Amino acid sequence: NVALFIGHENKNEAGLDDDGVLMSAKENTIVMHDHILHNYSDKYNFDNVECMIHLIRRLKKMKNNTNHDWNDDLIELLSQTNNDRNKILKDENSLDNFDKEYLQNLDKKYDEIINKAQEQNKEPITKNYFKNEEARFIKDLIKYKRNYLLWAYNFSLPATNNNSERNIRPIKSKLKISGQFQNINYVKYYASIRSYIETCKKNNINIIEACVRLMNNNPYSLKEILNLDDDLNPIVTEKV
């Protein structure tokens, strides 16, 4: 329910560490991303979960390059698991999780598909470059299996980071406009404004009202937006 944009001159490790978000994340924090290997660094304390949609895109690209059908098998497994999860989440009487048998079956099918992928990778293909790329991809699927499937084990996590992708779309569009930003200060101004507006939107606050308050030097505070007390705890009210 909070959006935070921070502007840097370069998209690199120094910028990530400078903004302090990842460095300050605690052990119970789970970060979703599109297989950013930097986020697995030992200097961080948080856990990682991979975006399902990004993985499916990688699988489709690999299928186009190699024509190996194990990619389709894994796409089908991920999609079906997500559909089954959504059905449970819509059921008010559900426990909001898969039972032990379902998860054991998911784990077994995933491993079977990986074994099939390794066998198909041994077959000769036209371009060895794609063969080597596929081999590296399969190693990723083995090494980061837990992170790729964590959303299936923990229903409090989203299966994709589409929400964040939508939030950054206006910024991506602006970067394509001639002139872009004149200097880093304007980048930071824009990031601050986007953070304010997107956070208000996420909490159903009228954007026009939020902007009027901002222009009147009386913007919504984060505590006000999230209905928090001075100790940043949610304010609990009893219904009468």
Side-chain angles (χ1 to χ4, degrees), residues 53 57 61 65 71 91 101-103 110-111 156 163 167 172 175 179 184 203 209 228 237 240:
I53 292 298
R57 291 195 196 107
K61 179 182 178 182
N65 292 338
N71 297 279
D91 185 356
E101 183 180 355
Y102 186 99
L103 292 173
Y110 186 97
D111 290 343
S156 69
N163 190 29
N167 285 341
K172 294 290 187 180
L175 289 173
I184 187 61
N203 292 275
E209 179 185 349
L228 303 173
T237 58
V240 179

Side-chain angles (χ1 to χ4, degrees), residues 51-71:
C51 172
M52 180 195 67
I53 292 298
H54 182 261
L55 175 55
I56 288 177
R57 291 195 196 107
R58 291 183 70 188
L59 289 165
K60 288 180 178 179
K61 179 182 178 182
M62 190 59 60
K63 171 65 183 299
N64 291 335
N65 292 338
T66 64
N67 202 32
H68 288 162
D69 62 2
W70 69 265
N71 297 279

Side-chain angles (χ1 to χ4, degrees), residues 22 24-33 36 38-50 143-151 153-154 157:
L22 297 182
S24 62
K26 299 179 181 179
E27 291 184 3
N28 60 348
T29 302
I30 302 178
V31 178
M32 172 169 276
H33 51 83
I36 301 175
H38 168 79
N39 286 9
Y40 289 96
S41 172
D42 291 337
K43 66 183 177 181
Y44 298 133
N45 295 317
F46 58 81
D47 200 357
N48 294 274
V49 56
E50 301 267 357
K143 182 177 181 180
Y144 301 103
K145 172 185 174 181
R146 173 184 173 277
N147 308 99
Y148 281 125
L149 297 179
L150 189 56
W151 54 268
Y153 286 80
N154 185 348
L157 301 173

Side-chain angles (χ1 to χ4, degrees), residues 7 23 42 55 67 135 137 176 206 221:
M23 292 294 290
D42 291 337
L55 175 55
N67 202 32
F137 185 27
K176 297 177 182 179
N206 183 277
S221 67

Side-chain angles (χ1 to χ4, degrees), residues 13-228:
E13 182 176 346
L16 288 171
D17 291 345
D18 181 60
D19 65 42
V21 174
L22 297 182
M23 292 294 290
S24 62
K26 299 179 181 179
E27 291 184 3
N28 60 348
T29 302
I30 302 178
V31 178
M32 172 169 276
H33 51 83
D34 296 342
H35 198 56
I36 301 175
L37 294 180
H38 168 79
N39 286 9
Y40 289 96
S41 172
D42 291 337
K43 66 183 177 181
Y44 298 133
N45 295 317
F46 58 81
D47 200 357
N48 294 274
V49 56
E50 301 267 357
C51 172
M52 180 195 67
I53 292 298
H54 182 261
L55 175 55
I56 288 177
R57 291 195 196 107
R58 291 183 70 188
L59 289 165
K60 288 180 178 179
K61 179 182 178 182
M62 190 59 60
K63 171 65 183 299
N64 291 335
N65 292 338
T66 64
N67 202 32
H68 288 162
D69 62 2
W70 69 265
N71 297 279
D72 292 331
D73 294 343
L74 189 51
I75 290 173
E76 183 179 354
L77 177 64
L78 294 170
S79 300
Q80 185 59 55
T81 303
N82 187 43
N83 288 337
D84 292 342
R85 189 182 102 137
N86 288 335
K87 290 179 182 177
I88 293 176
L89 289 172
K90 291 179 181 178
D91 185 356
E92 296 180 355
N93 299 319
S94 71
L95 299 176
D96 288 351
N97 57 54
F98 289 128
D99 58 37
K100 184 177 181 180
E101 183 180 355
Y102 186 99
L103 292 173
Q104 288 177 339
N105 191 44
L106 170 63
D107 187 76
K108 180 182 177 182
K109 287 182 178 179
Y110 186 97
D111 290 343
E112 289 174 348
I113 293 171
I114 296 303
N115 290 334
K116 181 178 180 180
Q118 291 174 319
E119 291 300 317
Q120 291 188 351
N121 183 247
K122 296 176 182 178
E123 300 171 359
I125 60 176
T126 305
K127 295 184 179 181
N128 285 330
Y129 170 79
F130 293 136
K131 183 182 182 70
N132 295 334
E133 183 182 41
E134 182 182 51
R136 291 192 295 270
F137 185 27
I138 295 171
K139 287 182 179 180
D140 275 351
L141 292 171
I142 296 172
K143 182 177 181 180
Y144 301 103
K145 172 185 174 181
R146 173 184 173 277
N147 308 99
Y148 281 125
L149 297 179
L150 189 56
W151 54 268
Y153 286 80
N154 185 348
F155 280 19
S156 69
L157 301 173
T160 75
N161 60 3
N162 286 351
N163 190 29
S164 295
E165 295 283 356
R166 285 192 292 270
N167 285 341
I168 66 173
R169 195 167 294 149
I171 298 176
K172 294 290 187 180
S173 298
K174 186 169 179 61
L175 289 173
K176 297 177 182 179
I177 298 174
S178 178
Q180 299 181 9
F181 298 100
Q182 296 301 311
N183 56 55
I184 187 61
N185 288 328
Y186 288 103
V187 175
K188 293 180 178 179
Y189 298 154
Y190 184 84
S192 296
I193 295 171
R194 292 296 310 178
S195 297
Y196 176 71
I197 290 176
E198 290 299 330
T199 300
C200 287
K201 285 173 62 178
K202 286 176 177 292
N203 292 275
N204 300 316
I205 294 176
N206 183 277
I207 302 305
I208 301 299
E209 179 185 349
C211 290
V212 168
R213 285 190 52 167
L214 178 63
M215 298 302 292
N216 289 329
N217 200 28
N218 181 35
Y220 283 99
S221 67
L222 187 58
K223 290 195 297 183
E224 188 178 1
I225 294 173
L226 301 180
N227 196 29
L228 303 173

